[in-house]
Amino acid sequence: MRMIKFLLLAVLLVPYIAYSSSEEVKLDKAPIDKADKESLKRGAKSFVEYCLTCHGANFMRYNRHQDIGMSDDDIRTNLIRTGQKTGGLMETAMRKKEAEEWFGVVPPDLSVIARARGADWLYTYLRTFYQDTSTYSGWNNLIFDKVAMPHVLHNLQGWQVLESGTKNLVQAKPGLMTKEEYDSFVADLVNYMVYLGEPHAHYRKELGAIVLFFLFGMLGLTYLLKKEYWTDIH
């Protein structure tokens, strides 16, 4: 039943965050490295600080972060903000009714957003917000026209505006980070969201390599055994 809900959620995410003008904009390549545990730790902290306020990650438990090298004390200190136990789910504190009043739509759960959208889309999306006075929030996005989500990272990136008659973004007001620092920050965040959608992926690849090595070894032993049997027959 849980797997069925998981698959349904992946499908239902699409209408909430459907593609708009992404086909017209070339997506930037996200520097993803799911084996980089330090990047995943930084991304997890950023996710809790900037994303979990509105979005949930209801298929992830806090204690799963032990897999990326975080102790229970680290999890309680750096990730849990609501007094939950480390075995609790990463649920948002925002109520659906409040979300609809503030944004006009309930922010989607982000457990499988990277699997539904792709890392490159997320990496580009989080770096292409710009000011737009015609929208309710005052923000728009280069690859998601009339997006309901405001630019919650504008204090870090700064304020961008769309150059008249083009699809080029120019910075109108600097943020707390340089462009390189912000790109690195977003890379860590997206890297974590990729991990969030499939926490076992790295382990499965390692296990798969071990299984293949074992099978090839058994193939060699089976061949030698076959030769030994046929020697006796001839």
Side-chain angles (χ1 to χ4, degrees):
M1 179 61 72
R2 189 172 182 82
M3 180 56 67
I4 293 174
K5 291 181 178 179
F6 181 88
L7 294 174
L8 285 174
L9 178 62
V11 174
L12 291 174
L13 277 173
V14 176
Y16 280 109
I17 47 175
Y19 284 103
S20 56
S21 59
S22 59
E23 295 181 357
E24 303 173 11
V25 180
K26 182 179 179 181
L27 300 181
D28 297 325
K29 182 66 177 176
I32 299 302
D33 182 3
K34 290 181 286 186
D36 187 347
K37 292 186 177 181
E38 292 305 314
S39 170
L40 293 175
K41 290 177 186 177
R42 293 192 297 268
K45 294 175 184 177
S46 300
F47 183 87
V48 168
E49 185 172 355
Y50 292 99
C51 304
L52 199 59
T53 304
C54 302
H55 300 272
N58 294 319
F59 291 96
M60 184 69 167
R61 295 188 183 276
Y62 284 104
N63 57 10
R64 286 311 309 260
H65 293 86
Q66 294 171 354
D67 296 344
I68 61 174
M70 299 185 75
S71 66
D72 280 348
D73 286 340
D74 291 335
I75 293 170
R76 279 190 288 265
T77 301
N78 298 309
L79 301 185
I80 298 178
R81 299 285 188 267
T82 57
Q84 291 175 266
K85 295 181 179 180
T86 55
L89 296 171
M90 297 181 69
E91 299 174 335
T92 178
M94 181 179 289
R95 298 175 181 177
K96 291 183 178 181
K97 184 178 179 181
E98 293 174 341
E100 290 177 346
E101 291 177 354
W102 295 341
F103 305 114
V105 63
V106 178
D109 185 274
L110 297 182
S111 300
V112 294
I113 186 65
R115 299 182 68 178
R117 277 307 199 178
D120 294 347
W121 193 93
L122 289 172
Y123 182 65
T124 307
Y125 170 73
L126 291 172
R127 294 161 51 251
T128 54
F129 275 90
Y130 62 93
Q131 286 184 287
D132 185 349
T133 56
S134 69
T135 65
Y136 178 78
S137 67
W139 295 98
N140 207 338
N141 193 279
L142 204 59
I143 64 171
F144 193 160
D145 191 38
K146 300 296 186 289
V147 62
M149 174 179 162
H151 188 20
V152 296
L153 302 174
H154 71 272
N155 63 316
L156 303 180
Q157 184 186 26
W159 293 16
Q160 298 185 124
V161 294
L162 193 62
E163 193 174 55
S164 179
T166 72
K167 288 288 184 179
N168 298 325
L169 296 176
V170 294
Q171 192 170 48
K173 180 179 178 182
L176 297 176
M177 295 180 175
T178 64
K179 181 182 183 302
E180 291 74 20
E181 290 172 338
Y182 183 74
D183 287 351
S184 179
F185 171 89
V186 172
D188 289 336
L189 181 57
V190 173
N191 196 28
Y192 173 73
M193 286 194 280
V194 171
Y195 164 78
L196 189 66
E198 202 171 4
H200 293 291
H202 185 65
Y203 171 73
R204 285 206 306 271
K205 288 181 180 179
E206 292 181 345
L207 182 61
I210 294 172
V211 170
L212 288 174
F213 180 79
F214 172 78
L215 291 176
F216 278 116
M218 288 300 297
L219 178 63
L221 291 174
T222 303
Y223 176 73
L224 294 175
L225 183 61
K226 173 257 183 187
K227 286 188 66 176
E228 182 65 27
Y229 273 112
W230 278 97
T231 299
D232 295 339
I233 293 173
H234 291 296

